[in-house]
Amino acid sequence: MSFDPATLTYNEAGLVPVIAQDARSHEVLMMAWMNQEAVERTLSSKRVTYWSRSRQAFWVKGETSGNVQELVDFRVDCDRDCVVALVNQTGPACHTGRRTCFYTSVVDGTETELMAPES
Amino acid sequence: MSFDPATLTYNEAGLVPVIAQDARSHEVLMMAWMNQEAVERTLSSKRVTYWSRSRQAFWVKGETSGNVQELVDFRVDCDRDCVVALVNQTGPACHTGRRTCFYTSVVDGTETELMAPES
């Protein structure tokens, strides 16, 4: 069945949350947002493209840093209001230089940093 | 360093998005929301507890279905506005009876269901 990006359920701001997951390691890398056109651009270009809520602009991940995300698979959830983008990640996904944005672990009430910036 | 749930950045509705990931398979299972008290309840009980936006009530995952999520690790992102809950999932995570909510794959413009309900 052919996929129509208009069939996703966007929130009141016209956005859907997108979870970027490394296609090889299956590590969750980051969470960001797409509007319908960002979904369309991502699927047609295979370059993961978010909508930046702070800049109110399209955000081709890695366009300036080089840390691009090549789309491998695009998974829609049961309610069609959330997406997992399986990606081949070049370089670190996080703006802090870490592989993933989720580098802080909370176990037994204690917060620990799991990794340092790569460079 | 001790973790204070008040240091997370909650959205205008007082909620933070939570990505539930299977601690063993690393499959992304679902995405839902927590308010500060749901974060506190999850960390103290180790039973993943969301805030249901539709019911405006706490939602102890699996309380009625038995498909509970035992918390293994709680990961906070760089902006402290998104969380990954690594969980031991009992039974299917999705209300449709599938292992994960993200069972629909979009590749080359075509939508495919990757799995059937388990029961």
Side-chain angles (χ1 to χ4, degrees), chain A residues 1-69:
Chain A
M1 168 177 153
S2 127
F3 173 71
D4 178 358
T7 64
L8 296 183
T9 300
Y10 300 91
N11 70 10
E12 60 290 349
L15 302 174
V16 68
V18 178
I19 300 158
Q21 184 179 27
D22 191 290
R24 286 167 287 212
S25 69
H26 289 169
E27 191 164 40
V28 175
L29 300 172
M30 56 181 284
M31 200 279 267
W33 301 82
M34 291 185 188
N35 59 14
Q36 185 177 326
E37 190 176 338
V39 170
E40 291 162 356
R41 290 184 183 204
T42 296
L43 291 171
S44 61
S45 67
K46 309 272 188 200
R47 275 289 169 89
V48 178
T49 302
Y50 301 103
W51 178 256
S52 166
R53 295 178 303 168
S54 54
R55 291 189 291 109
Q56 289 285 301
F58 291 103
W59 166 30
V60 182
K61 172 69 181 162
E63 198 169 38
T64 50
S65 65
N67 299 331
V68 296
Q69 295 179 334

Side-chain angles (χ1 to χ4, degrees), chain A residues 97-108:
Chain A
R98 292 171 177 86
R99 201 169 67 231
T100 166
C101 295
F102 297 94
Y103 55 83
T104 302
S105 163
V106 177
V107 173
D108 294 335

Side-chain angles (χ1 to χ4, degrees), chain B residues 93-108:
Chain B
C94 184
H95 75 288
T96 66
R98 293 172 177 87
R99 200 169 69 231
T100 166
C101 295
F102 296 93
Y103 55 82
T104 303
S105 164
V106 177
V107 174
D108 295 334

